[in-house]
Amino acid sequence: MIDYNPKAWFTFIFRFHKADTVRKLFPMFIALSAYSALIAFLELELLKMSPNSDLKQITLIHSLLGFVISLLLVFRTNTAYDRWWEGRKLWGALVNNSRNLALKLAAMLPASNTASREYFRLMIPNFAFTLKNHLRNRYIIEELQLPAGIELQADKHVPNQVAGLIMAHIHELYRQGQLSGEQLITINTELQSFTEISGACERIRNTPIPFSYSVFIKKFIFFFVMTLPLGYVLTLHYLIIPVVVFIFYVLASLELIAEEIEDPFGLDANDLPTDTISTNIRKHVAEIL
């Protein structure tokens, strides 16, 4: 995730970064410039069409469809941002629940039980790291700090394994009499939240917007932009080249931004900082336990 000062907006105009849509769309800018120049040459120089030609009336269609395409893109970006923000709230909840579980266990466990304290100090953050990598279809054993004798199977649902090991150890403490039934009920909310957060994140990642809707927006933008020079060249002449490129930049950038943030758990520049969040969970849990 990109860190920036939202108040220094003027510097953004001249700043480029790896997630900037200009870099991704630059080849299309060149192609559209050549296409617009070709249309302008054919209509103005070769065919010598009159400024009052009937072809100029095609601009009326663009005026009508411009409102429609703006509504579609607003809905598209709002939907994508909702997914991004929901993902951020889920990871915020994971931070809070990890801290709460560590605080409760630190208060409930006997001070003499250093082994269990060390176990939870390692395993609670491990859930965040395994969930982060699970959402990226990865398994990085080097990021985990596993207690002695604990092994995870990479071919199975790793976050579930970690949550199951935490649950099993807590119930073992209950059977040993180191946790009471009331205490077990008290920490059950945090334990249950781990799998609920994992399932909600998987829902966001595995359920993109419907394919037909995404394809329709891309086709709409393409045909809208490709037909712009046909009518407007009779009014703007060769100025149609930068105008078409700018309109395409605005419309296509909104679609690219929506595509990038609708899956907020990846490695794109604007995705959620799950690496940093996981590291902070490990730091805070270690301070508590």
Side-chain angles (χ1 to χ4, degrees):
M1 186 175 178
I2 300 173
D3 292 325
Y4 68 97
N5 180 8
K7 297 181 180 180
W9 62 270
F10 186 75
T11 59
F12 298 157
I13 301 174
F14 307 101
R15 178 185 175 188
F16 294 90
H17 52 81
K18 64 180 181 179
D20 203 301
T21 53
V22 173
R23 297 177 182 272
K24 300 177 182 179
L25 297 175
F26 189 76
M28 286 297 299
F29 293 165
I30 302 299
L32 280 174
S33 298
Y35 169 76
S36 300
L38 177 62
I39 296 297
F41 175 78
L42 291 175
E43 293 190 12
L44 299 176
E45 309 296 340
L46 193 61
L47 300 177
K48 298 185 182 299
M49 299 182 67
S50 169
N52 297 321
S53 172
D54 291 340
L55 192 61
K56 188 177 180 180
Q57 303 306 315
I58 197 174
T59 57
L60 296 175
I61 299 177
H62 294 102
S63 299
L64 295 173
L65 293 181
F67 177 72
V68 176
I69 199 171
S70 63
L71 288 179
L72 287 172
L73 289 174
V74 166
F75 176 77
R76 176 76 170 96
T77 52
N78 284 346
T79 302
Y81 182 77
D82 284 343
R83 295 161 60 90
W84 185 92
W85 183 239
E86 184 181 359
R88 182 61 187 90
K89 290 191 293 184
L90 289 169
W91 274 81
L94 180 60
V95 172
N96 294 337
N97 289 324
S98 298
R99 292 172 180 171
N100 287 333
L101 180 59
L103 287 168
K104 291 179 180 180
L105 289 173
M108 294 174 183
L109 290 174
S112 59
N113 193 347
T114 57
S116 292
R117 288 175 176 268
E118 177 67 11
Y119 182 89
F120 292 120
R121 185 187 70 81
L122 299 178
M123 292 300 289
I124 293 175
N126 281 342
F127 181 84
F129 280 93
T130 55
L131 178 60
K132 167 182 70 76
N133 292 321
H134 172 71
L135 295 172
R136 297 173 180 174
N137 294 319
R138 295 180 173 185
Y139 176 69
I140 306 177
I141 186 64
E142 292 77 15
E143 291 186 349
L144 304 181
Q145 297 178 358
L146 297 175
I150 298 296
E151 294 183 0
L152 301 175
Q153 299 180 7
D155 58 335
K156 296 183 178 180
H157 197 288
V158 182
N160 278 354
Q161 295 180 57
V162 175
L165 289 170
I166 295 174
M167 181 76 76
H169 194 85
I170 286 177
H171 279 273
E172 180 61 27
L173 292 174
Y174 170 71
R175 285 189 289 269
Q176 294 175 3
Q178 298 193 41
L179 290 177
S180 66
E182 292 79 6
Q183 291 174 329
L184 192 62
I185 294 174
T186 301
I187 62 177
N188 183 66
T189 301
E190 284 74 23
L191 296 173
Q192 185 176 343
S193 71
F194 284 169
T195 52
E196 291 177 348
I197 291 172
S198 175
C201 290
E202 289 171 341
R203 169 176 52 80
I204 295 174
R205 186 198 65 177
N206 298 329
T207 313
I209 68 168
F211 174 76
S212 58
Y213 185 85
S214 179
V215 170
F216 174 75
I217 292 179
K218 291 178 174 60
K219 289 181 178 179
F220 196 170
I221 293 174
F222 176 79
F223 288 111
F224 183 86
V225 173
M226 294 298 287
T227 55
L228 279 174
L230 299 177
Y232 282 101
V233 72
L234 300 174
T235 302
L236 299 174
H237 303 291
Y238 284 99
L239 284 176
I240 191 65
I241 298 174
V243 170
V244 168
V245 170
F246 178 72
I247 293 175
F248 175 75
Y249 165 70
V250 173
L251 299 179
S253 293
L254 289 173
E255 173 64 13
L256 285 178
I257 292 170
E259 285 181 353
E260 181 175 338
I261 67 174
E262 70 177 354
D263 180 9
F265 308 116
L267 297 170
D268 293 327
N270 290 307
D271 285 339
L272 295 174
T274 51
D275 293 282
T276 302
I277 295 174
S278 300
T279 301
N280 287 337
I281 290 175
R282 174 170 287 164
K283 174 184 176 182
H284 298 154
V285 170
E287 292 174 353
I288 295 170
L289 290 172

